[in-house]
Amino acid sequence: MFGILLSAYQLTGHAAGFALSEQSGSGLGNAYAGAAAVAEDASTIYFNPAGMTYIEGRQLVGALHTIRTSGDFNNRGSISPTGQPLGGEGGDFGGWAFLPNIYYKQDLTEQLKFGIGVGTPFGLKTEYNRNWLGRFQAVKSELKTININPSLAWKVNDQWSLGFGISAMWAEAELTSRANIGTGPGVKNKGDDWGFGYNLGAIYQATPDTRFGVAYRSKVEQHLKGDVRSPFTQANGIPGSTLNTDISADLTLPETFSFSAFSHLNDQWELLTDITWTRWSQFKELKIIRENGSNTTVGPAITEHWNNVLRYSVGMNYLYSDTIKLRTGLAYDDEAIDNEHRTARIPGNDRIWLSLGASWQYNPQTKLDIGYTHLFIKDARINDDQRPTRGLIAGKYEGSADILSLQFAYNF
């Protein structure tokens, strides 16, 4: 499983900050509206483990999300570091990405259910041309995660279901830039770690046609360890200046809280809604420490000033026939980053999701889902002044993203 996930991994964040909402192919068609209440298949293990009580028998779900992002920087008065040429605008820092997830659920007793999910809840990749004008602040920024999430659900009675899960999350970060030394050699910082967290959920069946879900995912603290490497070796004998040494960095991945509703309006229509809160203020600082006794940073420590945010979504399903369901959804996703604190490494902004999808119940055991989303991303302004050594990046980012998801669910 690790090999499949890592070989397919090339990501840019698609929710606020660098969170990834793409945890279900069926949910994409509704822009993940109602995700903590709908409990349509085993992908509920991620969104609300209590939903496993609504799924009969054993089920295996696999999804693949194909993502195309595009992004461009437009210079509006950037200034190069002293003695360096300015450089270009960086090219398209987006690209193609392929993101899989897989879930398995089974009954332990009539009331107690077990499931396990494997996916990537956080991810980021931005990469500019090597000689762009902001090369001394950022060239490549990449975060990879893999989350293993065993879970239990308990059907308390006909109205209440409860769920609990444990997360074991691996994270790896790589940050590169150019050093303002002579011709500017490249500097690569890379480290990884395992962190642990948990998730809780509950579903209340208010009427035979309407249910409400709440879900909470805890923060996960990572203490990344790795090394910094550069072809510039003249400072190797100076512990507080060397660009070739072991390093560490702390990373806190934020907690989330979701409230969802799902309702059968009549024989043909279903309504789904969701509000999700993410505590991005947990991501306080980007600081890389040399682990060679000098207790110094590689480059300046950057205070992030990120905000807690809300994501709102609403969706509709149309039951075209006994075997075909058509989906649509709309979401508004707040960005955690203010204009005055935006950096070239994570240049995101508010976005609107417009989603379509369909389900086909091929036979009683097999269901296929397809979903498509276009993300309209608000233009983002940047004015990151790190003169005299790293220059001023001033201008505007423009970007968008398209996501196509395929999902297979099999009951046995």
Side-chain angles (χ1 to χ4, degrees):
M1 176 54 64
F2 284 147
I4 295 172
L5 286 168
L6 288 174
S7 66
Y9 205 122
Q10 182 185 355
L11 299 176
T12 301
H14 300 295
F18 44 85
L20 294 170
S21 299
E22 295 88 343
Q23 307 299 323
S24 165
S26 55
L28 181 74
N30 296 123
Y32 298 105
V38 63
E40 186 167 332
D41 53 55
S43 64
T44 190
I45 291 168
Y46 179 83
F47 296 102
N48 187 347
M52 288 189 288
T53 64
Y54 288 83
I55 302 166
E56 296 295 331
R58 292 184 294 172
Q59 187 180 82
L60 180 68
V61 171
L64 179 65
H65 312 274
T66 302
I67 304 162
R68 175 65 172 102
T69 61
S70 61
D72 296 287
F73 172 74
N74 299 295
N75 180 30
R76 297 290 187 273
S78 299
I79 300 173
S80 63
T82 303
Q84 295 285 354
L86 183 60
E89 293 183 329
D92 184 353
F93 58 83
W96 290 92
F98 304 94
L99 173 66
N101 31 66
I102 190 167
Y103 303 94
Y104 171 76
K105 176 266 168 187
Q106 71 172 47
D107 296 340
L108 299 180
T109 69
E110 188 174 345
Q111 285 77 36
L112 190 63
K113 319 293 180 179
F114 168 79
I116 187 168
V118 182
T120 55
F122 298 93
L124 165 75
K125 185 174 182 182
T126 56
E127 187 167 11
Y128 303 89
N129 294 338
R130 186 172 181 270
N131 293 314
W132 86 294
L133 61 85
R135 60 196 179 276
F136 302 110
Q137 295 189 25
V139 175
K140 179 181 178 182
S141 307
E142 185 171 22
L143 172 69
K144 303 176 183 180
T145 62
I146 296 175
N147 187 53
I148 304 171
N149 195 180
S151 303
L152 290 172
W154 176 38
K155 187 175 180 63
V156 180
N157 53 41
D158 289 341
Q159 287 186 301
W160 285 98
S161 296
L162 304 176
F164 171 74
I166 296 173
S167 289
M169 191 183 304
W170 173 82
E172 180 185 76
E174 179 181 335
L175 305 176
T176 73
S177 61
R178 301 283 297 278
N180 191 0
I181 303 170
T183 58
V187 180
K188 180 169 75 172
N189 304 273
K190 190 171 184 178
D192 66 344
D193 186 35
W194 282 90
F196 299 90
Y198 62 92
N199 59 312
L200 305 170
I203 292 179
Y204 174 62
Q205 190 75 44
T207 73
D209 293 321
T210 300
R211 57 181 173 263
F212 301 96
V214 292
Y216 171 81
R217 298 193 72 89
S218 74
K219 67 180 180 181
V220 177
E221 294 183 340
Q222 307 277 358
H223 184 64
L224 306 178
K225 287 186 172 290
D227 55 50
V228 57
R229 290 292 177 260
S230 170
F232 181 77
T233 59
Q234 287 90 325
N236 280 0
I238 308 172
S241 300
T242 179
L243 296 178
N244 292 273
T245 187
D246 292 338
I247 56 173
S248 67
D250 291 330
L251 174 66
T252 300
L253 301 173
E255 60 262 56
T256 62
F257 179 80
S258 299
F259 175 78
S260 295
F262 170 78
S263 183
H264 292 279
L265 301 179
N266 53 44
D267 290 342
Q268 289 188 305
W269 291 98
E270 296 171 339
L271 174 65
L272 307 91
T273 59
D274 180 85
I275 298 176
T276 293
W277 172 82
T278 303
R279 192 183 177 190
W280 274 115
S281 60
Q282 291 278 17
F283 183 48
K284 297 181 183 298
E285 187 177 44
L286 179 58
K287 181 168 67 173
I288 302 170
I289 301 293
R290 292 183 176 90
E291 292 288 317
N292 58 8
S294 68
N295 197 33
T296 55
T297 62
V298 180
I302 299 172
T303 303
E304 295 294 343
H305 301 284
W306 283 29
N307 305 309
N308 302 329
V309 297
L310 291 170
R311 182 183 191 274
Y312 311 88
S313 55
V314 60
M316 295 288 292
N317 292 333
Y318 176 67
L319 282 63
Y320 177 80
S321 69
D322 291 341
T323 59
I324 296 176
K325 179 186 292 189
L326 305 179
R327 310 176 188 272
T328 189
L330 184 69
Y332 181 79
D333 206 356
D334 280 331
E335 182 51 72
I337 309 164
D338 295 329
N339 282 342
E340 59 266 32
H341 298 121
R342 185 169 286 108
T343 70
R345 293 204 180 276
I346 309 176
N349 207 354
D350 302 347
R351 65 218 73 191
I352 294 174
W353 297 53
L354 180 60
S355 301
L356 299 170
S359 292
W360 177 34
Q361 191 72 47
Y362 174 70
N363 59 38
Q365 292 78 37
T366 306
K367 182 166 73 79
L368 302 175
D369 277 278
I370 184 169
Y372 168 76
T373 290
H374 180 77
L375 273 68
F376 301 88
I377 303 174
K378 184 180 178 181
D379 291 352
R381 297 194 177 278
I382 185 172
N383 190 68
D384 192 357
D385 192 349
Q386 298 185 29
R387 289 177 289 178
T389 58
R390 295 186 170 213
L392 165 68
I393 302 176
K396 182 177 70 173
Y397 284 97
E398 298 176 352
S400 64
D402 294 277
I403 308 167
L404 179 65
S405 297
L406 297 174
Q407 180 173 291
F408 173 86
Y410 183 70
N411 291 79
F412 54 99

